Amino acid sequence: MSKGTVVLAYSGGLDTSCILVWLKEEGYDVITYLANIGQVEDFDAAKKKAESLGAKKVFIEDLRAEFVEEFIWPSVQASAIYEDRYLLGTSVARPCIARRQIQIARQEGAQYVSHGATGKGNDQIRFELTCYALYPEVQIIAPWRIPEFYNRFVGRKDLMEYAEKHGIPVPVTPKAPWSMDANLMHISYESGILENPKSHAPADLYLMTKNPEDAPNSPDVLEIEFKKGVPIKVTHVKEGKSKDTPLDIFSYLNEMGGRHGVGRIDIVENRFIGMKSRGIYETPGGTILYHAHLDIETFTMDREVRRIKQGLGVKFAEMLYNGFWYSPECEFVRHCIDKSQESVEGKVQLSVFKGQVYILGRESPKSLYNEELVSMDVQGDYDPCDASGFIKINAVRPIGGRRISGSACVLCSVHPNCI
């Protein structure tokens, strides 16, 4: 008798193919679910493989458009960046994938969901927090945390032997000696030979971006138009080519950034589970948008509002990294960030060249920049003595290691201790 139905987040690779057969061996009916979020994948072959291994049903879902609009765009609005460098490409994909997995589980009356995430990583937390938030009654089977499983499959050799025994097709060519995760937002590389943080990344590791040294010797100039903090159009200035749907915009920025080697980082980060890990990431389109959005936001947003929003962006990035997308606190922070973006509107021109993004100019109907007021050549209606009050208020702060009384207007009678 079946123990029940389980929806397995399935990739078609060695691990999840073995997990599919192992779950059947344990007495479960298995439904496989594969999300298309922009990775290079032979989806037809993955489906046939799952069916041949005994999957009761196979779901392959194209989530690319909703991934961009509902997950990447809020991250762009937030300027979400973890520990000052990581643009969260894996983190932002997990709630998108797991949401659809839960929808399928409910639709099919499945009591269980399963995944192939390691017991040492962040993804197990991201998947499971999403599942519990959206389907509290669901039971999760995490094989890499079950002693009977991880003691049986100590290494890849054990998985290969199990695959051979059960007729599971395995790649003819050896797998790259590192772990890789790809989606529209980025590709990440970790584990294997990368676990020594001193080792340099092999030259053939990067798949999404060209080596900046080999990139074109002339830049591509792009204009990105924003409304409410999200891009609504990208135009190649010289070629006149434009994209205006979210998926097309992001895909085109990936193409342009990849062509010029934009968005490569090599970092050691703090996993939520409590260990440091080395990760190499390439995020071409996301890096371009990070710089462009930062520029138009500063141009159009009130200074004090932006100061608060910056803090919220840091908090949002931490919650996203740690898997709390569907928590009440993250929903609240996203709402506040979305509110802050109401006036973030306009166009930014930039160039991408040899691994870098260079801001060239910007314009906006919501600009808070006053050219006449700030001009060094035009007085306008500004009275320089208006600054005296500001200076007095701030004069109690240390200057050169000393304190001044603030009783004098430094524009009219310079205090000797200030010199």
Side-chain angles (χ1 to χ4, degrees):
M1 177 178 282
S2 171
K3 290 182 180 178
T5 300
V6 55
V7 178
L8 170 66
Y10 171 79
S11 69
L14 178 64
D15 286 36
T16 54
S17 295
C18 288
I19 288 172
L20 191 169
V21 175
W22 180 81
L23 287 169
K24 287 181 77 275
E25 198 176 62
E26 292 293 305
Y28 296 96
D29 292 325
V30 184
I31 294 173
T32 58
Y33 154 64
L34 175 56
N36 175 5
I37 50 171
Q39 72 273 34
V40 176
E41 187 84 58
D42 187 338
F43 294 102
D44 288 336
K47 180 179 181 180
K48 289 174 183 175
K49 183 176 182 180
E51 290 171 339
S52 71
L53 296 177
K56 182 180 175 182
K57 285 187 180 180
V58 178
F59 286 86
I60 297 179
E61 305 287 309
D62 187 347
L63 306 181
R64 291 174 298 167
E66 65 189 72
F67 179 40
V68 174
E69 294 178 60
E70 299 178 38
F71 295 90
I72 294 178
W73 277 185
S75 301
V76 170
Q77 287 180 307
S79 299
I81 190 164
Y82 181 69
E83 295 187 335
D84 305 313
R85 293 182 289 178
Y86 173 39
L87 287 169
L88 298 156
T90 297
S91 312
V92 76
R94 296 316 184 224
C96 178
I97 296 169
R99 179 177 71 177
R100 182 60 184 140
Q101 184 179 13
I102 286 302
Q103 289 169 349
I104 292 170
R106 285 187 175 277
Q107 170 189 314
E108 298 298 316
Q111 308 95 320
Y112 304 90
V113 293
S114 184
H115 59 76
T118 172
K120 289 185 177 181
N122 294 308
D123 278 344
Q124 58 180 333
I125 300 169
R126 295 167 183 153
F127 276 118
E128 294 179 29
L129 285 178
T130 296
C131 291
Y132 286 134
L134 301 180
Y135 188 3
E137 304 82 19
V138 77
Q139 297 180 61
I140 295 172
I141 301 172
W144 289 112
R145 291 206 309 270
I146 298 174
E148 292 82 3
F149 186 89
Y150 66 70
N151 287 327
R152 181 176 180 181
F153 302 107
V154 177
R156 187 171 175 82
K157 181 174 178 288
D158 296 323
L159 288 169
M160 294 286 283
E161 289 175 355
Y162 182 82
E164 184 177 359
K165 178 181 177 182
H166 290 85
I168 301 171
V170 295
V172 176
T173 56
K175 187 180 178 183
W178 50 75
S179 175
M180 190 178 81
D181 180 72
N183 61 50
L184 270 173
M185 182 73 163
H186 83 169
I187 301 180
S188 67
Y189 309 88
E190 60 182 8
S191 301
I193 63 173
L194 302 178
E195 287 178 353
N196 181 348
K198 185 179 177 181
S199 299
H200 294 202
D204 63 346
L205 176 141
Y206 298 96
L207 300 178
M208 205 173 184
T209 58
K210 186 175 287 189
N211 186 332
E213 294 178 3
D214 302 324
N217 291 320
S218 58
D220 281 291
V221 178
L222 307 174
E223 180 178 84
I224 304 176
E225 183 176 353
F226 289 86
K227 190 161 188 178
K228 294 186 177 180
V230 299
I232 60 170
K233 187 177 183 180
V234 59
T235 302
H236 192 290
V237 172
K238 184 176 180 181
E239 296 177 1
K241 182 189 298 181
S242 293
K243 305 290 182 182
D244 58 9
T245 66
L247 181 56
D248 286 346
I249 289 170
F250 200 75
S251 298
Y252 185 65
L253 290 174
N254 273 339
E255 178 189 336
M256 288 292 101
R259 183 168 183 250
H260 288 274
V262 167
R264 294 183 175 189
I265 61 169
D266 182 334
I267 65 173
V268 172
E269 68 198 57
N270 289 295
R271 287 181 180 169
F272 184 38
I273 201 167
M275 61 183 79
K276 291 185 184 290
S277 67
R278 192 260 189 102
I280 296 175
Y281 304 100
E282 46 185 343
T283 317
T287 300
I288 294 171
L289 281 178
Y290 177 81
H291 290 287
H293 176 266
L294 191 65
D295 189 78
I296 197 67
E297 183 179 83
T298 306
F299 192 49
T300 56
M301 186 180 287
D302 173 80
R303 179 183 68 181
E304 298 305 318
V305 172
R306 186 166 187 276
R307 186 172 296 168
I308 295 169
K309 186 262 175 181
Q310 281 180 286
L312 291 174
V314 171
K315 187 65 179 173
F316 171 75
E318 291 173 354
M319 289 189 287
L320 176 54
Y321 185 85
N322 295 339
F324 286 84
W325 181 278
Y326 291 104
S327 67
E329 61 270 35
C330 191
E331 183 181 358
F332 170 74
V333 169
R334 288 204 310 273
H335 175 78
C336 293
I337 290 172
D338 189 58
K339 175 68 176 176
S340 78
Q341 301 294 294
E342 288 180 349
S343 295
V344 180
E345 177 181 331
K347 299 175 182 178
V348 178
Q349 285 202 353
L350 55 86
S351 69
V352 284
F353 183 59
K354 298 289 185 184
Q356 298 296 318
V357 179
Y358 299 97
I359 302 295
L360 304 176
R362 75 289 294 158
E363 59 180 307
S364 172
K366 303 287 183 69
S367 167
L368 298 181
Y369 181 88
N370 187 321
E371 186 175 353
E372 181 180 303
L373 180 63
V374 81
S375 174
M376 296 298 224
D377 298 316
V378 179
Q379 187 62 41
D381 59 359
Y382 178 66
D383 183 353
C385 283
D386 288 347
S388 63
F390 175 79
I391 294 169
K392 286 180 182 179
I393 290 169
N394 286 276
V396 295
R397 295 186 294 178
I399 299 179
R402 303 175 182 175
R403 289 187 179 275
I404 62 173
S405 66
S407 60
C409 172
V410 298
L411 291 175
C412 307
S413 176
V414 178
H415 194 287
N417 288 343
C418 295
I419 300 174

